[in-house]
Amino acid sequence: MFGGQDSKQHTVQPYVTGTSVIGLKCADGVVLGADTLVSYGSLAKNRKTSRLMTVSNHCSLGFSGEYSDFQEIKSTLEELMISEYCMADNIPMQPRAIHQYLARVMYEARNKQDPLYNQLVIGGVLPATGEGYLGLVDLLGTNYESEMIATGYGTYIALPLLRKAYRPDITVAEGRKVIEDCLRVLYYRDARSIDTVQISTVTKEGAETTEPFKLETSWDFKKFKAGSRLIDESTW
Amino acid sequence: MFRNQYDTDITTWSPQGRLHQVEYAMEAVKQGSAVVGVRSDTHVVLATLKRSTSELASTQKKLFSIDDHLGIAIAGLTADARVLGRHMRTECMNYKYIYETAMPVGRLALNVADKCQVSTQRASKRPFGVGLLIAGYDELGPHLYQSCPSGNYYEFYSMAIGARSQSAKTYLERHFEEFASLELQDLILQAIRALRETVSSSKDAELTSKNCAIAYVGKGDTFTIVEDEEIQPYLDTLENSDGKQEEEEEETEDAAEQTEDKPTDAPMED
Amino acid sequence: MTSIGTGYDLSSSTFSPEGRVFQTEYAMKSVENSGTAVGARCSDGVVIAVEKVYHSRMMMKGSLRRVHFVEKHIGVGIAGLLPDGRQMVSKCREEATQYREVYGEPVPGRVLVDRLARFTHLYTLYWHVRSFGCSALVAAYDAEGPQLYMVEPSGMLMRYNACATGKAKQQAKTELEKLKLGELTCREAVTELAKTIVNVHDSTKDKLYELEMLWVCEESGRTAQFVPQELIDEARKAAEDEKDREDDDDDMDDA
């Protein structure tokens, strides 16, 4: 039986969680976006929690899922970056290396049946070429690279929008707009989101995460006002 | 008989502040046959002289591949070198497993040096009796490192260690600045030339395809060992070019604007 | 040292009849055989300079690094056996990591050097290990302001305004005593420390040498960094020119 005398139960669900993170790879870098809410179930527990972090000059990270697990990951990463700083040997850690490192951390935890309950989105540039890099790791250790990534509810809401907006030659400036639009739509559709967001851009010049800012929203769409059912023209 | 009482124990400092046991371990490196390392802007080449204990025995291995981008040449106790080699392979594998990236050569050299240091500080150990030339290529380009039993490590443009390596070093010191722009084939020949300096003074005295082995690594080339019949063409080229050089030297007076001799028939290998 | 050769100086776990532990003293000798290292605490930070002696022209610049970083705000300069020094640096990093794990903030310089000294001292207590053959100069900048420490092979730890160790430590100390450290900025100290090293450098014995410097100061954002190479080159050139001039003057006086 579960929870018997000899068995041990680790985390089976997250408690304090962040919702979607989205990212778009651009020709000259990468853009990540996330709102600043962490929820306790459906309770909006903290509305000013940064869910994006700048890892290095060439790399940013965003998370969704359990906040405490992310804090642990964050300190692991900071430690890694300090030891890189101390090496002082002119070999900047590539975003891909950071991505893979996190994948090993997540997979190891999962194999102890004690996963870190997060999806992590890694955005960066290759220092040499300035080419963008975008990757994901989840709580199972699954990891992949993609031109556009969204986690959580964003998988349903933002990903199609990102796919539509993506061009191989899209610039970071354009990408920023797309990400902002996606965050807006997510705010309209996702009950666990809020309208205060952060955006992180990584280019050859460096990685930068904005201060939290409020999205401009508009609620006077006809369907928003009336409720969709009242003007539903479908037959069922 | 005079006996130095400060030289039998690794944990004993001499009154002069020296560690005799470590210095003796450094001597073991000089007992091993010579190895040479040279570097251009794109490649590193190692050249080694292999010994055998008898006519019936094979020669002792001097070159070890560690990873695709990296390998070592050793002088000293081969058994100790194999321990270090295995350690280096493990480190490279771990690094690659964690970061999906090849280990930077400098970091591996540092790691090995730190490992060597540990066995210079405990009574339960002895220092490794082997010197390594580490040749590798990473995102910063080609690298040639030397590591010592003392736990010191250095990066060099060119270097030679092992028995009679001084004569190779003298050759390298005269020429190493010219190596930067050399093509791989020419760099290999320079490495063998430097190595030849270490045998020319002794009686057994010739480089053959049996006792000479080289390795190279660099831009577009993974660590590759060249030995046995594969090395013969290089030795031939060297012999030919030397012949030409001598002729030229005789003719220098009447052929003032003779262009510099370059081996044109260097074997190409991919 | 009258007890040399009497058998009381072979192990760190042996006292001599007059109450000395010779093995530790011998270890300190090995520091005195090595290149000179100096450090100064200024009004706006700390600078450490190390003389790095080369034995081959074929060795690349940057080999035999004697300046290391332990945390973003802590740097270490090594005099003596470099491999031993690196071991000390590794220990410092380990302690810094451990402190961060427990307290969630960077380790204060004071705490770090205390732990380093304790570690170094351990190696003077047992026959089965030998003392470290190096001294570590530690520069830190934290809430307590800029700090300079030195840990010696015996495990002795002191905090300094300026300190010197290595081959020419006496001469270097005399030079450092002339500096008005309270008024000096780190930028100025780079010039002064370069001058000290150049002056004490014995060019008849060690031809090739390099100056290696680190600072933790306002200018570096209170992080430990290499002093920019241009600055070192400039300071070294100025110091060497001055030295040449003085030598010429001396020659003239002699004539």
Side-chain angles (χ1 to χ4, degrees):
Chain A
M1 237 352 249
F2 292 124
Q5 281 217 312
D6 305 332
S7 66
K8 195 165 136 189
Q9 201 173 45
H10 293 133
T11 324
V12 287
Q13 57 164 325
Y15 287 91
V16 179
T17 58
T19 182
S20 344
V21 185
I22 54 179
L24 186 65
K25 185 168 131 178
C26 305
D28 54 343
V30 79
V31 188
L32 303 183
D35 70 13
T36 60
L37 175 71
V38 290
S39 313
Y40 179 65
S42 60
L43 171 80
K45 190 170 166 67
N46 194 327
R47 296 179 296 154
K48 282 245 171 71
T49 303
S50 179
R51 296 200 293 122
L52 298 177
M53 72 176 276
T54 308
V55 182
S56 73
N57 262 339
H58 313 290
C59 187
S60 279
L61 175 75
F63 85 96
S64 57
E66 173 65 39
Y67 184 45
S68 64
D69 281 347
F70 171 71
Q71 287 177 308
E72 197 62 23
I73 291 168
K74 190 176 173 193
S75 64
T76 317
L77 262 186
E78 279 166 355
E79 199 55 55
L80 178 73
M81 292 333 283
I82 287 171
S83 75
E84 284 297 306
Y85 177 88
C86 291
M87 289 307 286
D89 57 3
N90 276 327
I91 306 176
M93 185 154 273
Q94 310 273 351
R96 185 179 142 80
I98 294 172
H99 181 196
Q100 290 302 316
Y101 171 79
L102 288 171
R104 296 305 100 85
V105 170
M106 301 294 269
Y107 185 63
E108 187 191 9
R110 163 260 166 93
N111 275 349
K112 289 181 181 152
Q113 312 300 326
D114 190 11
L116 295 154
Y117 248 93
N118 295 109
Q119 277 133 318
L120 304 172
V121 181
I122 296 99
V125 291
L126 308 183
T129 58
E131 197 190 328
Y133 180 94
L134 185 63
L136 174 133
V137 197
D138 70 9
L139 68 166
L140 301 173
T142 314
N143 64 93
Y144 56 84
E145 280 173 54
S146 178
E147 286 75 30
M148 61 291 286
I149 284 174
T151 66
Y153 210 64
T155 323
Y156 309 103
I157 300 294
L159 210 49
L161 299 172
L162 290 169
R163 284 187 184 136
K164 207 167 159 188
Y166 178 76
R167 285 174 286 120
D169 62 344
I170 192 168
T171 63
V172 166
E174 292 171 296
R176 223 195 110 114
K177 275 222 168 72
V178 175
I179 292 288
E180 211 178 304
D181 284 342
C182 289
L183 289 171
R184 199 180 345 262
V185 175
L186 278 167
Y187 174 54
Y188 290 146
R189 298 290 173 190
D190 177 2
R192 302 286 161 266
S193 69
I194 52 164
D195 55 352
T196 313
V197 299
Q198 280 181 294
I199 288 182
S200 187
T201 51
V202 191
T203 60
K204 227 174 168 178
E205 278 69 52
E208 213 184 325
T209 304
T210 64
E211 286 299 307
F213 64 93
K214 247 191 155 75
L215 289 169
E216 267 180 44
T217 49
S218 159
W219 293 94
D220 45 11
F221 296 116
K222 207 162 79 186
K223 283 192 183 178
F224 280 1
K225 272 190 176 161
S228 57
R229 197 174 305 165
L230 293 178
I231 48 169
D232 196 342
E233 281 150 21
S234 65
T235 50
W236 49 279
Chain B
M1 203 184 93
F2 170 75
R3 203 178 131 257
N4 186 343
Q5 41 179 340
Y6 302 101
D7 74 344
T8 51
D9 210 330
I10 188 69
T11 57
T12 302
W13 288 96
S14 85
Q16 292 75 38
R18 287 164 55 180
L19 291 167
H20 289 286
Q21 271 298 307
V22 174
E23 289 174 23
Y24 296 170
M26 301 283 281
E27 289 300 313
V29 179
K30 295 183 194 161
Q31 303 285 332
S33 63
V35 300
V36 169
V38 295
R39 202 196 82 159
S40 73
D41 289 341
T42 57
H43 285 82
V44 196
V45 174
L46 300 170
T48 65
L49 181 66
K50 297 185 288 186
R51 280 187 192 141
S52 69
T53 44
S54 83
E55 293 276 308
L56 298 173
S58 71
T59 50
Q60 187 69 265
K61 221 167 133 59
K62 299 282 282 178
L63 290 163
F64 296 87
S65 158
I66 301 296
D67 200 343
D68 283 347
H69 69 301
L70 196 146
I72 55 174
I74 63 145
L77 304 180
T78 311
D80 286 15
R82 295 169 65 85
V83 173
L84 289 180
R86 192 179 62 169
H87 172 76
M88 291 167 85
R89 284 175 179 156
T90 314
E91 288 299 308
C92 279
M93 265 159 39
N94 285 345
Y95 194 97
K96 203 180 261 174
Y97 173 68
I98 295 170
Y99 301 110
E100 277 284 321
T101 316
M103 190 167 190
V105 187
R107 292 192 185 178
L108 183 66
L110 169 65
N111 180 302
V112 163
D114 281 347
K115 186 179 168 66
C116 290
Q117 193 281 342
V118 172
S119 45
T120 69
Q121 206 172 7
R122 293 160 209 265
S124 54
K125 300 200 171 195
R126 66 160 172 81
F128 287 96
V130 68
L132 308 178
L133 287 184
I134 305 166
Y137 185 83
D138 59 27
E139 55 196 289
L140 296 182
H143 298 280
L144 174 67
Y145 284 93
Q146 181 202 349
S147 92
C148 296
S150 62
N152 269 315
Y153 78 109
Y154 322 85
E155 186 171 12
F156 281 103
Y157 292 103
S158 291
M159 191 55 191
I161 55 172
R164 289 190 289 275
S165 58
Q166 188 49 52
S167 34
K169 257 188 269 181
T170 312
Y171 177 88
L172 293 172
E173 257 157 26
R174 266 207 311 274
H175 297 284
F176 78 95
E177 280 144 321
E178 306 154 19
F179 297 166
S181 56
L182 287 187
E183 295 286 319
L184 174 60
Q185 299 305 324
D186 294 332
L187 192 65
I188 290 176
L189 293 178
Q190 287 291 358
I192 302 176
R193 268 204 191 106
L195 182 69
R196 201 172 48 179
E197 298 288 320
T198 68
V199 288
S200 59
S201 53
S202 69
K203 276 171 279 154
D204 52 344
E206 208 188 0
L207 287 184
T208 65
S209 61
K210 285 241 163 53
N211 68 11
C212 177
I214 61 145
Y216 60 84
V217 63
K219 199 174 180 180
D221 289 306
T222 57
F223 188 80
T224 312
I225 297 175
V226 182
E227 54 191 345
D228 299 328
E229 59 269 25
E230 287 177 354
I231 196 149
Q232 193 57 48
Y234 291 97
L235 298 173
D236 294 342
T237 314
L238 212 58
E239 207 162 303
N240 292 339
S241 76
D242 286 348
K244 258 188 251 164
Q245 218 157 27
E246 273 165 36
E247 278 167 38
E248 263 168 43
E249 271 159 26
E250 285 162 22
E251 292 166 15
T252 33
E253 263 96 72
D254 41 286
E257 67 263 35
Q258 181 119 18
T259 48
E260 205 189 317
D261 159 57
K262 257 192 188 161
T264 47
D265 49 349
M268 292 302 296
E269 237 160 290
D270 282 311
Chain C
M1 285 191 235
T2 47
S3 295
I4 292 179
T6 55
Y8 290 108
D9 63 347
L10 290 170
S11 160
S12 19
S13 54
T14 308
F15 268 112
S16 80
E18 63 268 43
R20 293 160 66 177
V21 181
F22 278 100
Q23 271 300 304
T24 313
E25 294 181 25
Y26 295 167
M28 290 163 106
K29 264 273 170 54
S30 87
V31 181
E32 284 163 34
N33 295 336
S34 128
T36 314
V38 292
R41 188 183 82 130
C42 311
S43 54
D44 60 341
V46 189
V47 188
I48 290 174
V50 194
E51 171 197 18
K52 203 165 77 173
V53 180
Y54 272 59
H55 57 259
S56 167
R57 228 159 42 86
M58 295 193 291
M59 198 185 293
M60 293 185 75
K61 287 235 160 73
S63 287
L64 289 173
R65 216 167 86 194
R66 288 190 171 270
V67 158
H68 299 270
F69 307 110
V70 167
E71 254 284 352
K72 285 218 158 145
H73 66 296
I74 301 179
V76 178
I78 299 291
L81 294 193
L82 200 47
D84 287 18
R86 286 202 315 268
Q87 218 65 32
M88 277 190 174
V89 170
S90 301
K91 182 64 186 179
C92 285
R93 289 180 183 155
E94 216 175 89
E95 291 294 344
T97 306
Q98 195 261 356
Y99 188 96
R100 193 182 272 276
E101 261 165 30
V102 175
Y103 299 106
E105 56 180 62
V107 61
R110 191 163 42 82
V111 175
L112 184 91
V113 288
D114 185 78
R115 293 188 183 182
L116 174 62
R118 236 191 288 179
F119 172 73
T120 312
H121 175 243
L122 270 184
Y123 281 73
T124 69
L125 295 174
Y126 309 102
W127 66 266
H128 62 264
V129 289
R130 63 167 172 81
S131 321
F132 283 95
C134 63
S135 291
L137 276 68
V138 182
Y141 202 154
D142 53 42
E144 230 173 275
Q147 305 141 55
L148 172 66
Y149 302 90
M150 183 158 70
V151 178
E152 292 182 61
S154 58
M156 188 169 76
L157 161 67
M158 300 263 233
R159 189 170 168 178
Y160 293 86
N161 282 318
C163 63
T165 186
K167 212 178 274 182
K169 70 171 174 194
Q170 281 312 332
Q171 204 188 335
K173 260 187 218 162
T174 322
E175 298 231 355
L176 290 175
E177 277 163 13
K178 293 181 204 153
L179 301 179
K180 291 202 173 89
L181 291 166
E183 298 162 22
L184 220 55
T185 65
C186 282
R187 202 167 246 272
E188 290 161 344
V190 167
T191 322
E192 295 300 331
L193 293 190
K195 210 193 286 177
T196 310
I197 297 279
V198 168
N199 283 343
V200 303
H201 174 71
D202 185 355
S203 47
T204 49
K205 268 195 200 142
D206 310 309
K207 268 226 165 87
L208 300 167
Y209 80 106
E210 205 185 318
L211 264 178
E212 220 171 52
M213 290 181 143
L214 80 81
W215 63 11
V216 199
C217 59
E218 298 297 344
E219 199 173 334
S220 70
R222 299 194 181 185
T223 59
Q225 283 176 10
F226 291 114
V227 175
Q229 193 57 44
E230 316 89 72
L231 221 58
I232 299 178
D233 292 343
E234 208 176 287
R236 179 172 173 176
K237 189 158 183 309
E240 281 172 345
D241 288 350
E242 192 176 323
K243 196 183 182 189
D244 287 346
R245 243 177 288 135
E246 274 166 25
D247 289 350
D248 289 347
D249 289 350
D250 288 349
D251 291 347
M252 281 209 267
D253 291 346
D254 292 344

